[in-house]
Amino acid sequence: MKKLLFCFSILLMLQSCWYTSGDDDDLNRSSYKPITQSRQDFEKSISIMGERPVINSGKIYVKDDLIYLNELGEGFHIIDNSDAINPQPVAFLKIPLATDLAIRNNIIYVHHAVDLVAFTYSLNSNLLNIVHRERNVFPRLRSPEGLEPSFYNVPENEIVIGYQQIN
């Protein structure tokens, strides 16, 4: 009787290893669909705009008299800090999906979704000049479920800029 009970319990534990055809259906579905943008439009999405209020701030970078304050996922507020008692907003650097910024030798480097972009900015003329773009340096945006864009068959010339939940 003990042998029969032992065999039955082993069989019960091994049941979880058995393949069932219904398991694949759940693995091939997602609750999200990617929102994409053509590479051409994506690369044109960097621009200088007028100042705007800070809503969802992130990292801060200070260089000389300028403060670059990240607006999460949208870009950077540029603030003139030459009068530290009364800093003045200057402009908004619109860079969708921007997460970080660094400056070296007056070249600004920004993480722009999957690319690393280098550009110059002139406070006097309020002009932005893209010097170089290194494509596909960073990983593509994953879905909230952790799925790669390849799961959704997103073409290489499309950039995933977000995900939309589907019902």
Side-chain angles (χ1 to χ4, degrees), residues 92-147:
F92 183 73
L93 180 55
K94 180 182 170 212
I95 306 177
L97 300 175
T99 59
D100 214 343
L101 172 141
I103 302 173
R104 183 166 185 202
N105 297 330
N106 294 322
I107 304 275
I108 301 170
Y109 299 89
V110 175
H111 173 202
H112 182 211
V114 294
D115 295 350
L116 178 64
V117 181
F119 59 90
T120 59
Y121 170 72
S122 169
L123 178 61
N124 298 334
S125 61
N126 203 30
L127 288 178
L128 173 107
N129 179 39
I130 295 179
V131 177
H132 182 73
R133 175 182 291 272
E134 193 66 36
R135 292 183 176 106
N136 302 315
V137 172
F138 301 104
R140 297 171 88 187
L141 186 64
R142 290 178 176 222
S143 75
E145 297 170 316
L147 299 171

Side-chain angles (χ1 to χ4, degrees), residues 15-160:
Q15 177 189 6
S16 64
C17 298
W18 290 340
Y19 175 78
T20 60
S21 60
D23 291 343
D24 276 350
D25 293 340
D26 291 339
L27 294 175
N28 291 329
R29 275 188 289 198
S30 172
S31 301
Y32 294 88
K33 70 176 184 177
I35 301 166
T36 62
Q37 189 175 42
S38 72
R39 169 142 304 270
Q40 184 178 12
D41 289 342
F42 171 74
E43 290 185 5
K44 292 178 186 174
S45 65
I46 296 177
S47 63
I48 286 283
M49 304 170 61
E51 61 178 271
R52 67 180 223 186
V54 176
I55 297 170
N56 196 8
S57 65
K59 294 180 180 181
I60 297 174
Y61 193 95
V62 179
K63 171 76 166 132
D64 300 326
D65 287 336
L66 292 180
I67 296 173
Y68 297 86
L69 175 62
N70 183 233
E71 182 77 36
L72 294 176
E74 296 185 39
F76 294 88
H77 298 274
I78 301 173
I79 302 164
D80 182 356
N81 196 38
S82 54
D83 178 4
I85 307 275
N86 190 23
Q88 295 296 313
V90 175
F92 183 73
L93 180 55
K94 180 182 170 212
I95 306 177
L97 300 175
T99 59
D100 214 343
L101 172 141
I103 302 173
R104 183 166 185 202
N105 297 330
N106 294 322
I107 304 275
I108 301 170
Y109 299 89
V110 175
H111 173 202
H112 182 211
V114 294
D115 295 350
L116 178 64
V117 181
F119 59 90
T120 59
Y121 170 72
S122 169
L123 178 61
N124 298 334
S125 61
N126 203 30
L127 288 178
L128 173 107
N129 179 39
I130 295 179
V131 177
H132 182 73
R133 175 182 291 272
E134 193 66 36
R135 292 183 176 106
N136 302 315
V137 172
F138 301 104
R140 297 171 88 187
L141 186 64
R142 290 178 176 222
S143 75
E145 297 170 316
L147 299 171
E148 295 281 343
S150 58
F151 175 85
Y152 302 96
N153 297 317
V154 175
E156 284 297 317
N157 63 343
E158 294 282 318
I159 306 298
V160 176

